Amino acid sequence: FVVDAIRLLGTAEEVASSTDSYGPWSGQVISAVKEGCRSAFLAGERRLVEAMFDCQVTTQVDSLGKAYSVLSKRRARVIDESVRDGTDTFIID
């Protein structure tokens, strides 16, 4: 939602007094903009957004089960699992 223009209607004196930072319309403008933003937000499709990030977990063989347990509690999605060559270290993407 974007405000393209603002037009103040009234006599020259009313318009001049309304441009004052504490003019008689300041509260009305704030309330109108707040209600306009609220109406535009409610008119749109509602959706729930959850933050996600990509990380790499490195663990030893004896802690692999615990690492998967923690990842499942956090609703993680495992993309790849590999073993570091020459060690007993697992890398979980």
Side-chain angles (χ1 to χ4, degrees):
F1 146 69
V2 176
V3 176
D4 290 328
I6 297 175
R7 287 187 357 219
L8 299 176
L9 304 176
T11 65
E13 293 173 357
E14 291 173 337
V15 171
S17 68
S18 69
T19 58
D20 202 13
S21 63
Y22 299 106
W25 293 359
S26 64
Q28 295 172 358
V29 171
I30 292 171
S31 296
V33 169
K34 181 188 82 162
E35 289 302 317
C37 291
R38 184 175 186 277
S39 297
F41 180 75
L42 292 176
E45 186 177 322
R46 288 171 184 80
R47 62 183 180 170
L48 182 62
V49 180
E50 184 176 34
M52 292 179 57
F53 66 96
D54 186 20
C55 69
Q56 189 177 62
V57 178
T58 306
T59 185
Q60 299 293 324
V61 172
D62 56 341
S63 302
L64 189 60
K66 293 178 185 177
Y68 271 105
S69 174
V70 170
L71 291 173
S72 69
K73 286 180 185 177
R74 305 285 184 243
R75 296 185 303 160
R77 188 173 8 160
V78 175
I79 299 171
D80 186 35
E81 175 186 290
S82 59
V83 179
R84 186 174 288 160
D85 293 333
T87 64
D88 61 345
T89 304
F90 276 82
I91 302 170
I92 304 169
D93 288 326

